[in-house]
Amino acid sequence: MTATPSDWYLTMDKKRLSIGDIVLFGVLGALTFAMKVVMSPLPNIEPVSLMIMLFAVTFGWKGLYPTYLYVAMEILCFGFSLWNIYYLYIWAVLFVLAVLLRKMEHPVGWAILSGGFGLLFGALCGIVDIFIGGIGYAVAKWISGISFDLLHCGGNFVIALLLFVPLRKLLTKLYKRI
């Protein structure tokens, strides 16, 4: 079967999404959003980075579906703002890194990736901030948010260290059943 430009439902691996995929990805995108909302009282401590790494490792490129469903839910719930631009590319950065490292088995490696991503989150936002207010604005904004990046780093590291391996096994088992 050859793909045509109108075959938007094809993923990079040229397989159609099954009904099971659609349901699972919908539930996982919504679950990611719900978990972030539940954890929102904790400053910059969230399960989103863990979930996106799990989507990339478990589903390959199809993992972009629950990732961007989560982003769409954020935008629909919290409205349009500058952070929307950040979310459109920042989560893709983590996703691609996780796809490239998907063979890594050790939980400490995943914890380091997740923690490092949390630490660099503000710097990654600075890419857009440079275009908004210049390099001085971007650097000042990044420096003022370093304490939150440190919390993000620590939270991501601990969450990934404790949950990446068991959730990877669970998602893999679930996905094989579909």
Side-chain angles (χ1 to χ4, degrees):
M1 178 175 148
T2 54
T4 64
S6 64
D7 292 335
W8 58 270
Y9 51 83
L10 296 177
T11 61
M12 290 185 175
D13 62 356
K14 305 292 187 240
K15 292 182 183 175
R16 291 183 189 207
L17 290 179
S18 68
I19 297 297
D21 288 341
I22 293 168
V23 171
L24 179 61
F25 295 160
V27 168
L28 290 172
L31 180 64
T32 302
F33 176 75
M35 288 188 305
K36 181 177 180 189
V37 170
V38 166
M39 293 181 72
S40 64
L42 304 171
N44 274 20
I45 298 173
E46 44 73 20
V48 178
S49 302
L50 169 69
M51 296 303 289
I52 289 173
M53 291 186 319
L54 287 166
F55 299 158
V57 169
T58 307
F59 310 123
W61 294 107
K62 285 184 179 182
L64 287 169
Y65 288 106
T67 298
Y68 282 97
L69 175 61
Y70 157 74
V71 171
M73 291 179 76
E74 284 269 335
I75 293 169
L76 289 172
C77 228
F78 299 120
F80 293 93
S81 186
L82 186 58
W83 65 267
N84 302 145
I85 299 169
Y86 304 152
Y87 271 32
L88 290 175
Y89 72 90
I90 285 177
W91 295 121
V93 169
L94 179 60
F95 186 91
V96 169
L97 288 172
V99 165
L100 294 173
L101 298 170
R102 68 185 174 274
K103 303 262 188 228
M104 181 170 51
E105 294 292 329
H106 205 282
V108 173
W110 291 107
I112 290 170
L113 174 62
S114 192
F117 178 77
L119 186 62
L120 294 174
F121 197 88
L124 290 169
C125 292
I127 294 168
V128 170
D129 293 335
I130 290 170
F131 295 102
I132 302 297
I135 207 152
Y137 169 76
V139 170
K141 188 174 171 191
W142 176 54
I143 289 172
S144 71
I146 284 180
S147 60
F148 288 100
D149 289 340
L150 289 170
L151 288 170
H152 199 178
C153 172
N156 277 7
F157 183 89
V158 170
I159 289 170
L161 185 64
L162 297 176
L163 297 177
F164 184 85
V165 171
L167 288 179
R168 181 181 193 176
K169 288 177 185 174
L170 177 66
L171 270 181
T172 301
K173 186 186 286 188
L174 261 173
Y175 197 50
K176 284 181 181 177
R177 286 187 182 170
I178 295 175

